[in-house]
Amino acid sequence: MSGIRFDSVSVAYDGNVVLDSLDLTVEPGEVMALLGPSGSGKTTALRAVAGFVRPASGRVFLGGQDVTGLPPYRRGIGMVVQQYALFPHMRVEENVAFGLKAQRAQRAQNAAKVAKTEIRTRVAEALEMTGMAAYARRYPRELSGGQQQRVAIARALAIRPGVLLLDEPLSALDARLRSGMLAELARLHRELPDVTILYVTHDQVEALTLADRIAVMDSARLQACGTPRELYRAPANEFTASFVGNANLLPVTVGSGGVVFGGGELKVDTEGAARGAKATLCVRPHLVGLGEGPNRLAGTVTEIQWRGSTHRLYVEVDGHRVIADLRELKDPPAHGDEVTLHFSPEDAVLLTAGVTHD
């Protein structure tokens, strides 16, 4: 089993820092998602593990070994990239065998016959595991996008890596295929519990669905790291709150028994916050109700969206937009209607780190 450790890893291109002093440990057998927008540094971090970029400073460890100076082929990792990178002139089984043949080429010639037998066995195992055994003789052009992705995963798994790197592997798939492949990746992880997975994505659903922990990246820096539940329920800062799930972020001032928003006071836990301090109140849309209740917010409906099982209301409250995700309403309000929203004190999180409002 191999874990991953970033020890103050920085990467720069032409003096431009694209990864800044990353300290992060991925435990053996863990699925860690690197989640963030384009340019956040997440793909650079993955490429540093793969050996495709050399850190300007810091070190990368795999299974306790410093691999910072090792070339990619000596790191024993499997990797699936965004566009799969299958060889169009090779059949599926040949694509899957490619990494194994490259490994075996480094062995002594007298082991070649044994290597060929082992290659056939591993290719068959990898194709069976990814549900592609029946397509072994096809060419990539004869496969759908989802099938090509399975082949790319089979190729990465065939070498039996201790670490599997996935770089936006579902971004080229449509919504239905993406949902199915998420389930397949979760199944594969259950079947391969010893494989450590580093999964790069900008899609919060993928991260929340697959990851044991999520590392949130922005502006080349690590913003927060924790389990999906921790980051969703108790985000460390505004960026994490907005990027891990939807969030209402309201500028408030800490009062004596709660916070002041607009012209009124809201009852929330303010433990540890200084009275008079500026802060941000985070309330998830599905925890906002319609009608009377604690912590009332009166405003005007600016938009309403029907989403099948739910209605999403956008309400302007004291010049700020508040979103409420409600179970499908039989008689929803209309655009311009005055409504009252509410939320429970225990459903709000007070953020004091990284506050940006005046």
Side-chain angles (χ1 to χ4, degrees):
M1 297 178 68
S2 296
I4 305 169
R5 181 162 68 89
F6 297 88
D7 181 12
S8 298
V9 174
S10 296
V11 176
Y13 299 126
D14 298 325
N16 180 37
V17 177
V18 294
L19 186 64
D20 191 359
S21 302
L22 177 61
D23 286 304
L24 182 67
T25 298
V26 186
E27 299 295 340
E30 183 178 34
V31 180
M32 174 74 79
L34 296 181
L35 177 67
S38 297
S40 61
K42 58 188 188 298
T43 295
T44 300
L46 181 139
R47 290 173 63 83
V49 176
F52 297 144
V53 297
R54 182 70 181 264
S57 61
R59 297 178 297 169
V60 177
F61 293 84
L62 293 177
Q65 179 187 1
D66 186 349
V67 299
T68 311
L70 289 182
Y73 68 87
R74 291 186 58 191
R75 299 194 181 197
I77 59 175
M79 186 169 182
V80 179
V81 296
Q82 195 168 345
Q83 299 301 327
Y84 318 141
L86 301 178
F87 297 107
H89 63 288
M90 292 183 180
R91 298 181 188 274
V92 164
E93 60 187 2
E94 294 171 320
N95 266 284
V96 175
F98 182 82
L100 286 168
K101 290 179 178 179
Q103 282 188 339
R104 298 304 178 266
Q106 300 172 45
R107 290 187 176 183
Q109 291 298 316
N110 60 9
K113 182 175 290 187
V114 176
K116 288 181 180 179
T117 302
E118 187 177 355
I119 286 172
R120 285 195 295 270
T121 300
R122 289 206 193 179
V123 168
E125 289 176 350
L127 289 175
E128 185 67 32
M129 187 175 295
T130 54
M132 291 300 293
Y135 300 86
R137 299 292 296 168
R138 293 194 184 185
Y139 289 98
R141 64 178 178 273
E142 299 173 319
L143 305 176
S144 68
Q147 290 169 337
Q148 290 183 40
Q149 198 239 29
R150 290 169 186 259
V151 174
I153 293 173
R155 181 175 59 187
L157 295 177
I159 65 172
R160 296 178 181 172
V163 171
L164 179 61
L165 307 178
L166 301 174
D167 187 10
E168 302 274 10
L170 309 184
S171 61
L173 304 181
D174 61 36
R176 183 181 62 82
L177 282 175
R178 189 179 301 119
S179 177
M181 284 309 305
L182 277 173
E184 287 299 311
L185 288 172
R187 178 187 62 80
L188 280 173
H189 183 238
R190 290 194 298 271
E191 293 183 6
L192 300 168
D194 292 345
V195 176
T196 303
I197 298 177
L198 190 61
Y199 188 103
V200 165
T201 183
H202 65 274
D203 188 304
Q204 58 181 269
V205 174
E206 293 179 19
L208 291 170
T209 301
L210 286 176
D212 297 311
R213 288 191 298 152
I214 300 172
V216 182
M217 305 284 295
D218 186 46
S219 302
R221 283 185 167 273
L222 178 66
Q223 298 294 318
C225 185
T227 67
R229 187 179 296 271
E230 288 169 348
L231 296 182
Y232 189 83
R233 292 190 171 179
N237 50 44
E238 289 185 30
F239 181 82
T240 303
S242 63
F243 212 83
V244 181
N246 295 309
N248 293 302
L249 299 174
L250 307 177
V252 298
T253 302
V254 178
S256 57
V259 296
V260 177
F261 171 68
E265 186 169 86
L266 303 172
K267 298 296 183 182
V268 297
D269 184 4
T270 60
E271 183 178 358
R275 184 174 180 179
K278 302 295 183 182
T280 298
L281 194 66
C282 172
V283 186
R284 299 295 182 181
H286 74 280
L287 298 175
V288 178
L290 180 64
E292 296 297 326
N295 288 331
R296 297 170 64 253
L297 299 171
T300 304
V301 177
T302 58
E303 186 179 351
I304 183 168
Q305 298 174 351
W306 178 66
R307 300 191 169 198
S309 60
T310 64
H311 276 97
R312 170 167 286 188
L313 267 61
Y314 294 83
V315 181
E316 183 175 327
V317 180
D318 288 320
H320 298 278
R321 188 182 72 173
V322 177
I323 303 173
D325 285 337
L326 309 164
R327 291 183 61 183
E328 186 179 13
L329 302 171
K330 293 182 178 179
D331 186 23
H335 182 277
D337 282 358
E338 299 295 321
V339 297
T340 298
L341 305 175
H342 68 270
F343 63 90
S344 297
E346 60 269 20
D347 290 334
V349 178
L350 191 65
L351 307 177
T352 56
V355 174
T356 57
H357 62 270
D358 294 330

